[in-house]
């Protein structure tokens, strides 16, 4: 992903039926066609809506993403969706290692790395999520925890490919709480350093997104923090007006 252009990605989680998608994307496409965004815009709906979204955004600057994938390309994994299937349905990106998956499904750094590698194999850009819990932050371990997650969740296969890392403090997701701008900058710097060390490069090759209660009223300040290359947006991406407010702040 080009670092100069910010990426604003919406994560719909397990929300949205066809009618919701039609309404939100209808409003978004009209607004973005009238005034093209100065950033990259992506929407990651539930897998059931990926193909419908891909059809709806044809000719419009909105990219389509999945929210998770299995590491395997195919096989006896009831309910599973592979990166190849997301690609086939029209996706160009996929979120991997979201804290809800790490916490609810016990996903480890090793598995997240395998999923990111699967995304690369399928021709998708992975958005690899990392972030500390409140206990880890209160213990003064936020930077160390996030650094370890980057070192262990980012496969070398991303070198030369389109990808992003998203720093999402677990305690900021869906809570209305956000770190201070100085805390965001501190962790993003650590993510950048870890990315460079892990991939053995001279400079970081991908944007680092911030995620966790990004709203239209705090987006401009967060997106102006040095090192912040975009935002991963949950709740506010479900309403066209709110998501547009964040896109316009980038
Ligand atoms: C998320 O789930 O990735 C997220 C950042 O959610 P929210 O914006 O609702 O905090």
């Amino acid at each position: 992903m080009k670092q100069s252009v910010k990426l604003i990605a919406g994560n719909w989680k397990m929300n949205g039926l066809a009618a919701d998608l039609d309404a939100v994307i209808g409003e978004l496409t009209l607004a973005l066609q009238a005034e093209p965004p100065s950033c990259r815009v992506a929407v990651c709906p539930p897998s059931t809506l990926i193909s419908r979204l891909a059809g709806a955004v044809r000719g419009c600057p909105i990219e389509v993403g999945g929210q998770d994938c299995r590491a395997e390309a195919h096989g006896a994994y009831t309910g599973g969706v592979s990166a190849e299937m997301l690609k086939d349905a029209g996706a160009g990106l996929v979120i991997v290692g979201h804290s809800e998956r790490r916490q609810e499904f016990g996903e480890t750094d090793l598995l997240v790395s395998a999923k990111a590698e699967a995304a690369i194999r399928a021709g998708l850009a992975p958005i690899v999520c990392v972030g500390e819990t409140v206990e880890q932050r209160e213990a003064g371990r936020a930077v160390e925890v996030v650094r370890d997650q980057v070192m262990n969740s980012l496969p070398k296969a991303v070198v030369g490919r389109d990808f992003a890392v998203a720093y999402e403090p677990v305690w900021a997701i869906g809570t209305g709480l956000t770190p201070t701008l100085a805390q965001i900058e501190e962790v993003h710097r650590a993510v950048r350093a870890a990315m460079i060390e892990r991939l053995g490069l001279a400079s970081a090759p991908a944007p680092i997104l911030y995620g966790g209660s990004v709203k239209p009223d705090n987006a401009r300040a967060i997106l102006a923090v040095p090192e912040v290359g975009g935002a991963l947006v949950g709740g506010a991406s479900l309403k066209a007006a709110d998501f547009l407010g964040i896109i316009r702040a980038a």
Side-chain angles (χ1 to χ4, degrees):
M1 289 176 190
K2 276 192 264 156
Q3 284 182 68
S4 48
V5 179
K6 293 197 192 303
L7 169 66
I8 306 297
N11 171 15
W12 279 24
K13 312 193 186 193
M14 201 177 76
N15 295 294
L17 302 176
D20 304 308
L21 186 92
D22 293 351
V24 174
I25 299 304
E27 212 179 306
L28 268 183
T29 50
L30 272 181
L32 296 182
Q33 270 158 353
E35 192 189 326
S38 55
C39 58
R40 288 177 67 179
V41 177
V43 174
C44 306
S47 324
T48 49
L49 294 177
I50 285 187
S51 164
R52 189 178 186 95
L53 176 60
V57 298
R58 222 161 266 141
C60 181
I62 298 178
E63 300 174 46
V64 180
Q67 299 174 9
D68 176 51
C69 65
R70 281 200 65 102
E72 302 82 3
H74 53 78
Y77 304 105
T78 302
V81 175
S82 71
E84 282 77 2
M85 290 167 181
L86 293 174
K87 175 85 176 170
D88 187 49
L93 310 97
V94 63
I95 298 166
V96 293
H98 190 282
S99 67
E100 286 155 14
R101 297 217 49 104
R102 288 178 184 263
Q103 291 195 319
E104 197 178 340
F105 300 96
E107 294 194 0
T108 60
D109 287 339
L110 195 66
L111 180 60
V112 174
S113 175
K115 288 182 174 203
E117 208 163 322
I120 296 292
R121 179 190 68 216
L124 298 177
I127 300 176
V128 180
C129 300
V130 295
E132 82 284 1
T133 62
V134 71
E135 293 79 14
Q136 290 165 334
R137 174 153 290 273
E138 282 171 356
R141 297 184 52 230
V143 165
E144 168 202 335
V145 166
V146 168
R147 184 195 133 76
D148 282 356
Q149 287 176 336
V150 174
M151 295 300 283
N152 297 315
S153 305
L154 204 56
K156 293 218 162 111
V158 297
V159 173
R161 310 296 286 266
D162 210 15
F163 76 100
V165 172
Y167 166 54
E168 299 203 299
V170 177
W171 51 274
I173 295 179
T175 59
L177 302 172
T178 52
T180 64
L181 300 181
Q183 287 171 329
I184 293 176
E185 184 173 351
E186 180 190 29
V187 180
H188 275 237
R189 281 196 192 287
V191 169
R192 179 162 302 277
M195 197 195 286
I196 288 169
E197 186 181 337
R198 165 71 183 140
L199 302 178
L201 300 171
S203 62
I208 304 162
L209 316 183
Y210 168 77
S213 297
V214 177
K215 308 286 176 206
D217 61 359
N218 63 15
R220 195 169 296 280
I222 291 173
L223 290 165
V225 171
E227 305 281 340
V228 172
L232 184 53
V233 183
S237 68
L238 291 165
K239 288 193 188 131
D242 287 353
F243 198 42
L244 266 172
I246 295 168
I247 292 166
R248 297 300 185 211

